[in-house]
Amino acid sequence: MVFMFEFLRNEAKFIQDFIAKVSNKLGVAQLNISEDLFGMDSRLEKLNVCVCASSLDHVHFIGICGLGGIGKTTLAKAYYDWTSSQFEGCSFLTNIREVCEKKENGLVYLQNLLLSDILNGLPTEVRDIHKGMDMIRSKLCHKKVLVVLDDVDKLDQLKALAGKNNWFGSGSRIIVTTRDESLLLSTYIECRIYRVEELSYSEGLRLFSHKAFKSTHPSKQYEKLSKQVIAFADGLPLALEVLGSFLCGKSVNQWESALDRLKEYPNKEITKVLQISFDGLEEIEKSIFQDIACFFNGFEKDNIIQIMDSCGFFPEIGIRVLIDKSLLHVDNDNKVRMHDLLQEMGKEIVRAKSRNEPGRCSRIWNYDDLCHVLEHNTGTKVEAIVCCFLEPKKLVCDFEAFSNMKKLRLLILQNLVLEMRDGPTLNIEHLSKELRFLRWHEFPAKYLPSNFQRGGLVELKLWLSKHVWNNAIK
């Protein structure tokens, strides 16, 4: 008899789970997506698979991760609107990072809001964080709830609002949107992660056209320019929306002018959102990010680690932090990559220090800037120079031009044909004592010190190795 009861209970449980999952699947197909949320239906379905991957009886934590402007909040809101009717109580706490930054006792305010939402507006009396944690646990532990914690950027926010699974009743779902995946993994024993993907070309075209032309496709005369905008945005919904709204109603000439300007001056509205993640980094992680943005986007990870390690940047942990914060990713070929707009943001942060004098900027990657610095013997603020070109370019300088670069730690030059003024041969005194990594391809032997003319490049490497830490000349 006991066996039969257990069998029937398990069968009922199986049927219940099966019906719930099928209902969710059907719900995605029946969901009425807003006309301007292009690509949302497929992303909702993928998120739902992530949510329903385990038994519906357990409390589950789900992270929606990705870089700023990718659509994390939009996706969470769509999922919340779609499934909220399945729960006893729901709460969508938006802009948690901003609330905590701008509001005194922001976490206490959010705890009160969470309790009020789920308890149908009943007044709460949370006065401190620990009291709030106790109240959330005691009042919600038997309720099946849906909670969305939007834009979390600190560990204490998770601990104060959804610290453990026993705070909530069976079947509850806690969804967290964040740029920093490591927060979730360090807080919850089990947490499923959904990484939001960039829009495909067709999805991006429809979203941009909706904003720019109030249609699903551009008019004939704007087709080529629209393709340029979509390539620039690289699947980032925020960029497509901002640029589409900005270009709406403008002439072809104005579009061309705007696109030319974007190459030198990124849109402030887009940059402001992207830079939030950068501003939250430690200084050493900012340096790694800027080096990769200016020089090494698309390089092999091992090569970047070698260079960054030489500079004393502890790249293994630094790159991991940048990946967790959705600022980098490593592809299947072990190459480190960042979104094109993040790269432009990183370069703009460097350029903004001094647009008229590149020698006052920390990094040089542009040929004209390098020539200017060497010709005018500036470079007092330069920390790194990496100039690598596919076709040979002429470089006219004398070695004394390096003498003002007291902060130079990194120097990589490739495909630069060196033509010397009437100056001295290379002297170690011209190089910064801070220099940690040097790679100068095809350095002409005639400019070596006289006692190294015979040995050429191999002996130059040996000579510099006595003075330059962890150098590599190939």
Side-chain angles (χ1 to χ4, degrees):
M1 191 69 176
V2 173
F3 172 79
M4 181 59 70
F5 175 77
E6 187 69 26
F7 172 79
L8 291 174
R9 188 175 69 173
N10 290 340
E11 185 177 30
K13 171 73 169 53
F14 171 80
I15 293 172
Q16 181 185 18
D17 284 355
F18 179 78
I19 291 173
K21 289 187 178 183
V22 170
S23 297
N24 282 338
K25 291 283 187 181
L26 293 174
V28 173
Q30 296 167 356
L31 183 64
N32 184 24
I33 300 290
S34 174
E35 64 175 2
D36 59 346
L37 298 182
F38 300 102
M40 186 57 68
D41 51 355
S42 63
R43 285 158 180 78
L44 265 177
E45 187 169 3
K46 291 177 182 178
L47 174 60
N48 190 55
V49 170
C50 183
V51 173
C52 296
S54 301
S55 170
L56 299 180
D57 276 351
H58 297 160
V59 176
H60 287 292
F61 296 91
I62 301 96
I64 300 179
C65 301
L67 75 158
I70 197 69
K72 301 182 295 295
T73 300
T74 304
L75 177 59
K77 189 65 170 68
Y79 189 85
Y80 180 87
D81 292 342
W82 169 42
T83 61
S84 57
S85 61
Q86 302 174 19
F87 298 86
E88 296 176 57
C90 301
S91 179
F92 193 111
L93 299 181
T94 188
N95 295 327
I96 289 175
R97 174 189 56 80
E98 186 176 348
V99 170
C100 291
E101 286 177 355
K102 296 183 177 181
K103 198 173 188 68
E104 188 177 359
N105 297 322
L107 284 176
V108 172
Y109 166 80
L110 290 166
Q111 288 175 330
N112 276 296
L113 191 58
L114 172 62
L115 288 164
S116 178
D117 286 345
I118 295 178
L119 300 176
N120 298 317
L122 293 177
T124 55
E125 299 179 356
V126 175
R127 295 177 182 175
D128 66 75
I129 291 175
H130 295 291
K131 177 67 173 177
M133 293 165 68
D134 290 339
M135 290 184 69
I136 293 171
R137 179 170 56 245
S138 63
K139 292 182 178 293
L140 305 186
C141 64
H142 297 299
K143 285 184 175 293
K144 178 184 176 183
V145 300
L146 172 63
V147 176
V148 176
L149 307 179
D150 173 55
D151 196 16
V152 169
D153 73 333
K154 296 287 192 302
L155 203 59
D156 62 341
Q157 296 161 3
L158 292 178
K159 290 182 177 179
L161 299 169
K164 295 182 179 180
N165 58 1
N166 63 3
W167 290 17
F168 308 100
S170 178
S172 293
R173 298 291 180 267
I174 314 301
I175 296 176
V176 181
T177 75
T178 182
R179 306 180 188 203
D180 191 349
E181 184 178 323
S182 66
L183 293 177
L184 302 168
L185 301 178
S186 62
T187 304
Y188 306 122
I189 297 175
E190 291 186 14
C191 181
R192 295 188 177 276
I193 304 295
Y194 175 72
R195 297 174 184 85
V196 185
E197 303 165 342
E198 290 89 354
L199 296 178
S200 67
Y201 178 83
S202 61
E203 291 167 343
L205 179 63
R206 284 186 289 152
L207 173 57
F208 175 73
S209 299
H210 176 77
K211 295 294 181 181
F213 308 106
K214 311 304 177 186
S215 175
T216 56
H217 58 278
S219 56
K220 189 73 174 177
Q221 61 179 329
Y222 287 94
E223 282 184 356
K224 185 176 180 180
L225 290 168
S226 295
K227 288 181 180 179
Q228 293 179 36
V229 176
I230 292 164
F232 174 81
D234 196 21
L236 191 70
L238 169 70
L240 292 164
E241 291 182 7
V242 169
L243 296 176
S245 299
F246 173 71
L247 294 169
C248 181
K250 292 182 171 58
S251 68
V252 169
N253 288 340
Q254 289 170 335
W255 274 53
E256 291 173 344
S257 177
L259 286 170
D260 288 339
R261 187 176 72 178
L262 280 172
K263 295 174 184 177
E264 293 296 324
Y265 301 93
N267 180 277
K268 288 185 178 180
E269 189 175 349
I270 299 170
T271 301
K272 182 180 178 181
V273 174
L274 295 176
Q275 194 166 335
I276 290 170
S277 296
F278 175 83
D279 291 341
L281 297 173
E282 300 291 342
E283 288 303 317
I284 196 166
E285 292 153 3
K286 288 181 178 180
S287 294
I288 295 174
F289 176 86
Q290 289 178 298
D291 274 5
I292 293 174
C294 294
F295 310 135
F296 304 126
N297 189 16
F299 278 52
E300 288 189 2
K301 181 181 176 182
D302 293 342
N303 195 10
I304 295 174
I305 286 176
Q306 179 197 12
I307 296 170
M308 296 292 97
D309 191 48
S310 299
C311 295
F313 286 171
F314 307 97
E316 286 283 2
I317 186 60
I319 289 175
R320 181 69 256 173
V321 168
L322 295 176
I323 291 172
D324 288 341
K325 291 183 179 293
S326 304
L327 292 170
L328 296 178
H329 70 275
V330 180
D331 67 15
N332 293 332
D333 296 322
N334 202 39
K335 292 183 178 180
V336 174
R337 300 194 182 275
M338 65 171 58
H339 193 280
D340 289 349
L341 290 177
L342 284 173
Q343 181 176 24
E344 284 304 311
M345 180 198 75
K347 289 182 175 181
E348 175 61 17
I349 291 171
V350 173
R351 283 192 296 253
K353 297 292 183 182
S354 177
R355 291 190 179 278
N356 297 323
E357 178 47 70
R360 296 196 189 106
C361 295
S362 62
R363 292 159 177 83
I364 294 176
W365 61 92
N366 178 274
Y367 172 71
D368 291 334
D369 289 345
L370 176 62
C371 290
H372 173 91
V373 168
L374 294 177
E375 180 181 351
H376 294 88
N377 202 16
T378 57
T380 55
K381 301 293 184 180
V382 175
E383 298 176 16
I385 299 174
V386 178
C387 288
C388 302
F389 307 103
L390 296 176
E391 300 293 331
K393 292 179 179 287
K394 183 171 70 173
L395 182 65
V396 179
C397 73
D398 60 63
F399 291 114
E400 287 185 351
F402 289 98
S403 61
N404 276 340
M405 301 182 188
K406 305 298 184 184
K407 297 184 177 182
L408 189 66
R409 60 175 168 80
L410 171 61
L411 177 60
I412 299 178
L413 299 175
Q414 180 175 346
N415 252 338
L416 287 170
V417 180
L418 192 61
E419 292 188 10
M420 297 298 298
R421 300 194 189 98
D422 295 331
T425 58
L426 180 63
N427 189 318
I428 195 64
E429 293 178 358
H430 296 142
L431 298 176
S432 167
K433 293 180 180 179
E434 299 297 318
L435 192 60
R436 295 295 185 272
F437 190 99
L438 171 63
R439 180 179 289 161
W440 195 325
H441 290 255
E442 300 176 8
F443 185 89
K446 64 181 179 179
Y447 295 127
L448 291 173
S450 58
N451 56 327
F452 290 99
Q453 290 275 348
R454 295 180 182 179
L457 294 180
V458 175
E459 290 208 41
L460 174 63
K461 179 178 178 180
L462 293 173
W463 174 60
L464 287 174
S465 68
K466 299 175 184 177
H467 306 273
V468 182
W469 297 265
N470 293 323
N471 72 86
I473 298 179
K474 295 180 181 178

